[in-house]
Every structure is written in structure tokens, then in C-alpha cells.
Amino acid sequence: MLEVDDLRVELDADAGLVRAIAGLTLSLSRGETFALVGESGCGKSMTALALMRLLPENGRFAGGAVRLDGQDLLALPEGQMRDVRGGRISMIFQEPSTSLNPVMRVGDQIVEAIEAHTELRGAAARAKAVDWLKRVGIPDPQRRIDDYPFRLSGGQKQRVMIAIALAAEPEYLIADEPTTALDVTIEAQILELIRDLQRERRLGVLLITHDLAVVSGMAHRVALMYAGQIIEVAPAAEFFARPKHPYARLLLQALPDAARRGQPLAAIAGTVPPLWLEFTGCRFWPRCDKAMGHCASTLPELTEEGPQHQVRCLLYSQPGEALPRPPAVAKDLPPVPPGKCDPLLDVRDLRVRFPLNTPLFWRGAKHFDAVDGVSYQLHASRTLALVGESGCGKTTSGKAIVQLLRRQAQISGQAMFEGQDLFRLHGPALVQARRSIQIIFQDPFASLNPRMRVADVLEEGLIALRPELDAGQRRERLHALVDQVGLRRDALQRWPHEFSGGQRQRIAIARALAVEPRLIVCDEPTSALDVSVQAQILNLLRELQREQGLAYLFITHNIGVVEYIADDIAVMRAGRVVEQGPCADVLSQPRESYTKDLLGAVPRLSISSR
Ligand code: SF4
């Protein structure tokens, strides 16, 4: 058994002493999958690193123990710990591209792990590496073993990572967000592979993820972390059926899906507190919708509230009177008005062709058709979701509409917007179209200029696209914008790095709204965000649509988000739309086998007992 007992990890940071893990206790048996879930910054990944004794340079163990079959790993000499690491406990990291050595053939990386932890050497180790590649589902392993990582797809790289992690035949596997960077179909394959290997080898798996649907399909037990502590731990079926901690309940209510369509999602106000604070009460107190007066001054302990079900909440151990707090689920707005008869955007036979300068990879091909004859319509006040796997052309299609590819690609077909073909506009008409169609990108960290204050970020678009406004009118507009997206007005004088991910995405939305667009292309606007922040952004997008009649072209791979927000859907594959129609029809009765496969691969929140 792998046991963690009251583990404490501290980091020295500019802001002071950060207590990244504050008294964590858990156990993992052979053959069991134990999921550690929680939002960014709650300490999940730091826990994984601590178990492997791979703390960053500014980190140290401040107390507690990690025991493997009774042996204290924190007290082991580094030489012996190296045998445990990779030999008895292996780890898969989130991003295979950065975890594999780019200048080493994949086979050599597997052989290295085999030779370090088993008796096999030379040809025997190489034969074993081929065997592992075969077992993790890499086609033609005899040949692929000599490939460098860049020749493999994202899913294949993750499979190689799994092969390396398992090549030493460990007893325990720590999988830190193993599928977050992958498409749903590849994700399904990887999860199935981990399940198979677990059955076959009685692997104990510590699964670290923020994806509750993945957890519900994989885990036997679940621990929810918040601000460096476990706040609820229970068998998976019990956790999803009867969550007890207010944070757990809110997280589950914040998940978008078809059942919550037409209603606002639960909003968890605020953010995870910084871990350099000295806590005198419950860490969730400022955000809790069930908070009581004494929660701010009493430290809650984990208490047993059912068979194997522990909760860190005073509601159970010291109940009292609830403080008046706004409900987490707000009252809903009136329904969306039906779309007008004429589409706002009518795309016909859109083709986007990129010239290629690297014939080496494409056997002399001179171009690449990223979008190959796509047609769809979008009405005001409605949302059309473009879904499909990476590389299917959905983002390229959106960028073409926003006129971001005019210089890089040949664009043909028509995109009729308010009676004009977007691809044939020039001069003032093009400026007007740019004002009417805006885009929100996936990564709010990368899409804001770090050297511009928020006011300048927002004003830039106004100056370019609304030159008729004077400085006073622009300032008024900026105030209205930050009010609209739920930021404080002093945000205007701050820099992007001072905000959380969700706040930055609000700034990006405010930037898009600044010039009063009619249509916004939302390119994976929530995929980099935690569940609670995603709920805030989806609620905001819905409200803005209702108030202003905005149309959204919503590009995503998250089918739960599609079910929740989209009216219509177009499924793309290899540059083409393979199926489209009203969202409810396509999702409930897909006709094309590709759509069926795509939907079948999506992890669902299921609470079947495992
Ligand atoms: Fe909410 Fe109080 Fe429970 Fe903390 S202890 S989760 S503030 S009810």
C-alpha cells in the first residue's frame, strides 16, 4: 500500500512562505484507482511530485510521511529513492511533447527505462520495448521504435509516455492529467489502455485530474482538494451521488450539460485563496454559499460522515445558523428570442488553402486544404457549435470568418454577412465588418498583450474601429464594458498578469464587446479554465446573448459545453462538415458514424458503482 500521512510541503516564494500541501492523508492499494480532483492551484500536481520526491528547488517537506509498504520514502537515501522512482512508482505527465526527450529515439527512451529497472539488456531490452509499443497500441512498432518524438501524433506520444512509465513494471502509477491535452477519441483509447493494464498488472493508479467525467468513469475512490487540503473523500459512486461538502456540490452544479440547458450554471464566486495566508477558519469560507458565522474562525477537521466518506466542513461537525449569502444559482433571464428568418452569417462552400513550403513532409504537395468546402448558417441570438478533433479545420474556419487569414491563405467560397460577402470586402466596408465580427481566443494568457494595461487593451479596438468616439466617450465605454463583464472599474488601470485566468477571459470578452459586434467567434473560450470559472464565463456569454442578440460561432471539443450552450451544431472532420443540424437532434440521434464515434468517446459523468 502507498500511504501518505499528514504530508506538509512548503515553498519559498516572493510573496512569502507558501504552504502548498497542508496536512494531506490518503492511501492507495494495488489494483485501485484513486482520483485526486480539484481546481488549478489546489495542490494536486504538487502532491504527485511530493510522492515521487521531486519537489521544485524552492520546496521542502515540512512534516508527515509517505510510506510504500511501510517504508518511509522521505527518509530513503537518494540512490534507493531512484530505484523506487520509475521502478515501483511511475508517473505520466500531462504534456507528452515536453516530457519526451526530443533528440532521442522513442525506442531508446523506453529501453533506458527497462535497463534502469529490470535485468534485461541490449537486444532483449529492445525486444521488450517493441513489445511495450505494441501493447500501448502503436501501429507498426518494429519501425516506429526508431522514430523521434516529433514524428508521432499527440496520442502516440502519450502512449509512448505510458510505455516508458510501465516498462519498469511498477506497482503504482501516478497519472497527472494524462489526457487533458488529447482529443476525446484519443482520450478514450488512453483511458481504456490504463484500465486494461491496471486489470492485468494490479496497478494502483493515482489519477490526478480536474475532469470529473473522467473520474466518474475511472475511479474507485475520489478525494477533492481545495487550497492544499483534502476536503472530501469518498467512494466514487457515493461522491457523485451524494456529495457533502458545499464546494463539491457547487462544482457538480457548475458542470454544463443538456440537463442544465436554459438555466444558469452554479457560480462559485471568487477564487482559490493564496496559500501564503495563515488560515484561521475554513479555507472555502469566502466563497461558500452555506457559510455560518463561526466558519471564519474555526478550522474544520476531516470527519467521518458515512462509510469511507469523510468531509472537512463544520455543517456536519458544528452546525449553526447560515449567513445571508446570494444563492449560487442565480435566477434565470427571460428566454432567448427566436432567430430572425434571414441568417446573420451564411457561409457557402468555404475553402481555406495554405501554401506549403516544406515538400519534404507532403511528398511534393504545394498546398494543404485546411477547410474543404464548408457551408453553414448562423442566425442572430443563436449559437452554432463547430465540433471535431484537433486539425479538423474548425479554428481555421472561424479565423477565416474573422478575416485573420487573408495574408496567409487562399480563401474561396462565400461568407454572406448582412448582405455582403466578407471575402470580397475592402476599405471602409472591411473595417465595418471587422467591427461587427470579433473573436475570443482559447488562451486568455496569450491573447492579451502583457505590456498594455487593461484600459489600453480595451481602448485599442475602439480607437481603430470606432474613430468617431472622443476620449471622454471612450472612457465611458470602458467603464460600461468592465461593468458588463463583471470586473471592478479599478481593473482598467491594472496589468493582465494581475488577474486570474477567468478574469483575463472576461477582459478578452470585454475587448470583443468593445466595438459592439453582432457576431463573436468563440474559439475554445473555456477549455483552459477550471469548471467554476468555465461556469462564470458560460453564464456571462448567455446573458450577453440575451441582452444584445449576439450570435456565437462556438468552436469547442467539449460536448458538455455544446449541449449546454449551442442551438445548432456542425460536426467537422478533415476540413469538411460531416453532419449538421439542431443540437438536440444531432446529439441524441447522430446519423454519421463519425459523429457516433465522437460522441461515444466523450467521457460522461456516470455514477455506476465500480
Ligand atoms: Fe462552508 Fe463553513 Fe463548511 Fe467551510 S465549514 S465549507 S464555510 S459551511
Side-chain angles (χ1 to χ4, degrees), residues 245-247 281-286 288-292 294-296 298 300 312-316 325:
H245 198 283
Y247 177 59
C282 172
R283 294 170 184 225
F284 189 56
W285 180 82
C288 181
D289 62 337
K290 299 277 184 288
M292 304 168 290
H294 59 295
C295 296
T298 314
R312 191 186 294 276
C313 174
L314 299 170
L315 274 182
Y316 303 94
R325 292 237 161 137

Side-chain angles (χ1 to χ4, degrees), residues 414-432:
Q414 272 190 337
M416 300 304 294
F417 182 79
E418 297 181 322
Q420 293 180 302
D421 186 354
L422 291 174
F423 302 141
R424 277 157 198 80
L425 296 181
H426 298 280
L430 178 60
V431 173
Q432 178 58 37

Side-chain angles (χ1 to χ4, degrees), residues 200-256:
E200 199 180 295
R201 315 182 60 80
R202 286 192 60 243
L203 259 184
V205 178
L206 182 66
L207 178 67
I208 293 174
T209 180
H210 67 275
D211 189 334
L212 294 171
V214 168
V215 171
S216 78
M218 291 285 289
H220 299 96
R221 286 189 301 139
V222 181
L224 176 62
M225 283 190 81
Y226 186 80
Q229 291 185 319
I230 287 181
I231 57 169
E232 181 160 359
V233 55
E238 170 74 6
F239 177 81
F240 289 110
R242 282 171 289 279
K244 288 189 182 294
H245 198 283
Y247 177 59
R249 290 187 185 157
L250 288 177
L251 267 189
L252 292 173
Q253 285 177 43
L255 285 176

